[in-house]
Amino acid sequence: ELPPSEFMQVADSTWLVLSVVSNGREPPGCQATGVTKIARSVIAPLAEHHVSVLMLSTYQTDFILVRERDLPVVIHTLAGEFDIYKEESGECVPVTCDDVSNGFLKPKPAASPTLHPVQSPHTRFCVLTVAPDTLPAIATMLIDVLFYSHSPQWDAATGSQDLDSITFFSFSLIEGYISIVMDAETQKRFPSDLLLTSSTGELWRMVRIGGQPLGFDECGIVAQIAEPLAAADISAYYISTFNFDHALVPEEGIAEVIQLLQQRQESSR
C-alpha cells in the first residue's frame, strides 16, 4: 500500500520466514543464544548450498528469511536435520521433500564465503522488550529516537563514520511481541520500569560486517560470523540490514570475538 517513490528501494524478491524451534536435544549446559545456536545446523548448510539469508534476532527468538524461490533447496538441505512444517490457515502442516521435488536440482556447493571487513564501535547496547499495553506510554519517545535523533558525524577526510560511537536502533513487532535494541545512553531516556531485559541486565557490543552496502544477493555473510562464534560457544544476536550486518555479543567477550574473526580472516588469505 505504500506509494511508489524515488526514495524507496524494494528488493526484487519475496521472502519467507523460517522459525527454528529447539526440540530439547541440546547437550546439558549449552548456554549459547541467538545465531550461535543455529549456526552449524541451519546457517552453514544453507551457505554451502548458496542460499542467501537475512537474519533477524529478537528478544524472544530468532528468524531466518529466505527467498521464496529458494524454498526447495532450503527444504532439501534441512530435511535431514529438522522436521519441517508450513503454516496453512493457522495450522502447522508437515512438509516432506516429495512436496518440493518437482524440478529440484541439487545445487553445487558454494565456494568459500567472501570475508567482509568487520568493525567494532565502542558503543554499548541493550536488548530489551516491552509489554504491548505499555507501548503508548513510550510512543512519543520512540518517534523522537526513530526520526529526530542525530546521527554521528562523518569524517570528511576519510569519508567514513566515526566508529567510536554508532547510531543503531532496532524495533520489531512480531506476532504481538516487541523487541528493541538500543544503545545504553538512549535507554536512559526511557522510563526504566517499562523496559524489560534479562535478569542479568547484561550489555552488548557490536560487530558490524561490511565495508560497503551488502545488498541481499550474496550468501555466506552470516556464516562468516556465526561459525567461529558457534565453535567458541559465544552467544550472539544478529540483525541483517541492506547496508550492513550486525552481530551483538556480550560486552565482556568482545576482545575474544574480534581476535577470532581476525584469525579467520588472516587464515583465509
Side-chain angles (χ1 to χ4, degrees):
E1 297 178 3
L2 293 172
S5 168
E6 60 180 304
F7 305 107
M8 181 183 299
Q9 184 175 351
V10 181
D12 187 27
S13 298
T14 301
W15 298 74
L16 301 176
V17 179
L18 306 181
S19 178
V20 183
V21 181
S22 171
N23 59 7
R25 291 186 296 181
E26 292 180 352
C30 181
Q31 299 298 320
T33 59
V35 69
T36 311
K37 295 179 67 173
I38 53 178
R40 297 186 185 94
S41 57
V42 181
I43 295 169
L46 292 181
E48 290 171 359
H49 287 78
H50 216 282
V51 175
S52 179
V53 305
L54 300 180
M55 187 75 201
L56 177 61
S57 295
T58 71
Y59 184 89
Q60 292 80 16
T61 187
D62 300 281
F63 299 96
I64 301 174
L65 281 75
V66 298
R67 286 186 175 91
E68 187 172 31
R69 65 172 181 261
D70 288 335
L71 187 59
V73 181
V74 171
I75 293 177
H76 275 261
T77 301
L78 302 180
E81 185 78 16
F82 293 92
D83 297 323
I84 302 177
Y85 299 86
K86 60 182 177 180
E87 185 176 300
E88 290 186 351
S89 303
E91 298 291 331
C92 289
V93 180
V95 175
T96 65
C97 289
D98 294 338
D99 295 336
V100 292
S101 59
N102 185 29
F104 174 79
L105 296 176
K106 186 175 181 179
K108 297 180 180 179
S112 298
T114 301
L115 291 176
H116 289 276
V118 297
Q119 303 165 312
S120 180
H122 298 303
T123 311
R124 304 157 81 207
F125 292 93
C126 312
V127 180
L128 309 154
T129 188
V130 62
D133 58 352
T134 64
L135 193 58
I138 63 171
T140 301
M141 185 63 67
L142 279 174
I143 292 173
D144 182 65
V145 172
L146 284 169
F147 298 109
Y148 299 105
S149 293
H150 295 289
S151 299
Q153 296 297 316
W154 284 75
D155 187 328
T158 63
S160 62
Q161 184 174 300
D162 177 13
L163 281 179
D164 283 343
S165 177
I166 185 174
T167 297
F168 185 91
F169 186 90
S170 172
F171 177 92
S172 61
L173 175 60
I174 302 174
E175 294 186 330
Y177 293 100
I178 298 169
S179 182
I180 304 173
V181 176
M182 68 176 77
D183 64 83
E185 290 301 312
T186 300
Q187 183 193 12
K188 296 177 181 178
R189 299 169 57 182
F190 288 82
S192 59
D193 58 328
L194 297 183
L195 300 179
L196 307 176
T197 187
S198 64
S199 58
T200 59
E202 61 189 338
L203 293 174
W204 302 74
R205 289 280 299 277
M206 176 182 288
V207 175
R208 189 172 76 168
I209 302 97
Q212 58 185 0
L214 299 173
F216 298 136
D217 294 323
E218 187 177 344
C219 72
I221 298 174
V222 181
Q224 170 190 341
I225 304 299
E227 289 185 275
L229 295 187
D233 203 28
I234 297 174
S235 298
Y237 289 93
Y238 199 100
I239 299 177
S240 300
T241 69
F242 180 85
N243 290 314
F244 301 98
D245 279 16
H246 309 82
L248 293 166
V249 299
E251 183 179 26
E252 66 274 9
I254 185 65
E256 181 183 0
V257 169
I258 295 300
Q259 183 179 12
L260 285 171
L261 298 179
Q262 287 176 343
Q263 289 175 345
R264 176 185 169 104
Q265 200 162 22
E266 291 171 358
S267 64
S268 66
R269 291 172 180 169

